[in-house]
Amino acid sequence: MDAKKYSILVVDDDPPILELLGEYLSTRGHDCKLASNTAQGLDLLKSVDFDVLITDLKMPGGGGLEMLRNIKERNLSIAVVMMTGYGTIESALEAMKYGAHDYLLKPFRLRNVYDSMEQAIVKQQSELNTVR
């Protein structure tokens, strides 16, 4: 993938993870916004056009699935990577049903998150080109 810079929203209620991902993605040249809960994340989705959402599955206020439902209802074009420390087959299937491009288990390697994000962008762009 080329060195394109992306607008990324990271939503997680765990401050160390939020800060780590924000710093890692920013140092790679991306414009990264951080939200520590679902409500903040939804507010940012209303005001900024993001290329990628990296979100935790379980958070107060609905978590990642609530974010996915909102994206789907608003028909936003955004690649989504879901993270969780509580992975189950059911939650993975539900996340994919609502449009997540990938599902990562915590703890994760930063490189895996980055690779997943890039793959999600490629998949999202391919889906958009198919629709056109």
Side-chain angles (χ1 to χ4, degrees):
M1 179 167 230
D2 63 17
K4 185 172 191 270
K5 304 305 177 195
Y6 296 102
S7 177
I8 304 167
L9 173 58
V10 180
V11 185
D12 198 307
D13 61 337
D14 185 352
I17 289 177
L18 192 64
E19 291 174 27
L20 181 67
L21 284 171
E23 184 176 318
Y24 178 76
L25 295 168
S26 293
T27 59
R28 296 190 67 108
H30 300 288
D31 179 26
C32 196
K33 303 281 189 235
L34 307 177
S36 60
N37 60 54
T38 306
Q40 286 178 356
L42 291 172
D43 283 345
L44 282 167
L45 280 175
K46 290 176 186 170
S47 60
V48 180
D49 288 331
F50 291 100
D51 298 305
V52 183
L53 167 64
I54 301 173
T55 183
D56 192 7
L57 175 68
K58 293 190 184 250
M59 294 180 289
L65 292 178
E66 180 63 28
M67 306 250 344
L68 281 171
R69 286 184 196 105
N70 185 276
I71 288 168
K72 194 167 191 156
E73 287 171 5
R74 295 179 49 216
N75 200 29
L76 298 177
S77 175
I78 184 170
V80 179
V81 175
M82 187 74 65
M83 307 176 296
T84 186
Y86 308 98
T88 65
I89 292 172
E90 293 80 16
S91 62
L93 289 172
E94 190 168 8
M96 298 301 182
K97 172 183 151 185
Y98 280 103
H101 290 91
D102 205 353
Y103 185 91
L104 300 174
L105 295 176
K106 294 177 183 177
F108 50 75
R109 294 182 187 268
L110 289 172
R111 182 67 204 183
N112 291 350
V113 174
Y114 196 81
D115 290 345
S116 177
M117 179 193 80
E118 286 188 321
Q119 292 167 5
I121 291 167
V122 168
K123 185 176 178 185
Q124 178 73 14
Q125 290 172 344
S126 175
E127 291 169 359
L128 286 174
N129 290 336
T130 301
V131 172
R132 291 181 191 165

